[in-house]
Amino acid sequence: TPLSDAWGFGQWRAARRLVARGAKTTLTDAATLGLIDRIEIYSRSVTPPTEEEINRAFWGACHGGQQDCAAYFLEKGPT
């Protein structure tokens, strides 16, 4: 998606602007951009994230320099 392309190439302002303009986020998108409120919503959903999704989101948090989000995943661990 344009959002994942933006953060994948380190275009942080573009990624944040896409979110501000209504781009839908995945768990990985939210983690990469430090959107902890969205991460918590995904974690409480009827279908919680899989271990693979959590691992991808953890990688995204590390890629985006989002220490709080990375710590969240380390603390919660796989569901």
Side-chain angles (χ1 to χ4, degrees), residues 3-4 7 12-44 57 60-62 64-70 72-73:
L3 178 56
S4 61
W7 62 253
W12 307 113
R13 287 178 50 198
R16 287 183 186 358
R17 176 168 258 166
L18 287 166
V19 170
R21 291 184 171 242
K24 293 184 180 186
T25 58
T26 64
L27 180 62
T28 302
D29 295 332
T32 304
L33 296 173
L35 305 173
I36 195 78
D37 55 331
R38 293 186 188 205
I39 292 169
E40 290 172 345
I41 290 169
Y42 282 113
S43 296
R44 291 190 310 256
C62 294
Q66 302 299 330
Q67 190 171 6
D68 291 343
C69 292
Y72 177 89
F73 291 113

Side-chain angles (χ1 to χ4, degrees), residues 27-28 48-60 73 78-79:
L27 180 62
T28 302
T50 65
E51 186 174 349
E52 182 180 334
E53 290 170 324
I54 291 171
N55 286 339
R56 252 185 284 144
F58 175 74
W59 179 90
F73 291 113
T79 55

